[in-house]
Amino acid sequence: YFLLEDPRTITPIGLELRGRPHDPELLVKAAAFYEGARLFEIAERYYERAAVSEGAKRDPLLRRRLAVARGTNLLRIGKAADAARVFRESFEDVPEGAQSETLLFGWMMAELQQDRRKEAERPYRELLKRFPDSRYAARARENFAAASSRN
């Protein structure tokens, strides 16, 4: 629940979380701490708590940032189906919102990791249509072509 149980080794974020255990910004910081320590499964627990917090429900920009970070972390731990859902739901919630190109790219990659090329086409085509000159579009073209050549 808190960052490290031994009080001699508790992190500053862990101390802050003791006082504000439902603060989404602190939960995201805790998740980032665990990602930095390569403890991605533990990071997911903090991302999950942040995603359902009241603060995240009220703040659309925080929800977007959280979706990108959480989806990326889910891909790292091999939970591509969950990552695809996180990216897709966040994009569909506000298609014109901040970081849409990142969400579309993440969604496409999550589908490709599951060998779901047909399902990856929707975010791929949307990314190329909306953001044709972005760095994500260039990477998407490469990754989609590589996935197509494997099939």
Side-chain angles (χ1 to χ4, degrees):
Y1 184 72
F2 296 112
L3 301 179
L4 309 175
E5 294 300 323
D6 182 344
R8 294 169 295 168
T9 59
I10 197 162
T11 67
I13 297 167
L15 290 172
E16 285 186 72
L17 273 171
R18 282 190 171 170
R20 298 178 307 184
H22 305 291
D23 182 318
E25 292 288 352
L26 288 178
L27 291 166
V28 169
K29 284 181 184 178
F33 168 83
Y34 280 114
E35 279 186 297
R38 307 193 59 74
L39 298 168
F40 303 115
E41 292 280 352
I42 296 171
E44 169 53 16
R45 289 188 231 151
Y46 284 93
Y47 281 134
E48 190 173 22
R49 286 178 46 205
V52 298
S53 70
E54 289 301 315
K57 290 176 186 174
R58 290 189 303 267
D59 185 342
L61 290 177
L62 174 60
R63 280 196 310 275
R64 276 296 166 109
R65 265 190 16 243
L66 183 56
V68 169
R70 184 176 183 205
T72 302
N73 188 59
L74 286 164
L75 284 173
R76 279 190 195 112
I77 59 177
K79 295 185 176 185
D82 291 334
R85 179 186 48 77
V86 166
F87 288 129
R88 179 182 45 78
E89 287 176 358
S90 184
F91 174 74
E92 290 176 344
D93 185 38
V94 185
E96 304 300 326
Q99 296 187 296
S100 288
E101 67 184 300
T102 309
L103 293 168
L104 287 166
F105 180 77
W107 177 13
M108 181 200 79
M109 291 304 298
E111 297 295 3
L112 290 176
Q113 275 194 15
Q114 300 173 80
D115 294 322
R116 293 169 37 113
R117 187 179 173 280
K118 185 170 177 71
E119 288 79 359
E121 284 183 29
R122 179 175 169 216
Y124 173 68
R125 295 197 189 292
E126 192 72 25
L127 176 61
L128 295 183
K129 182 176 111 183
R130 289 175 181 248
F131 310 99
D133 300 322
S134 80
R135 65 187 172 114
Y136 288 110
R139 288 177 58 199
R141 284 183 192 96
E142 293 170 11
N143 293 337
F144 201 80
S148 296
S149 69
R150 287 192 306 261
N151 294 333

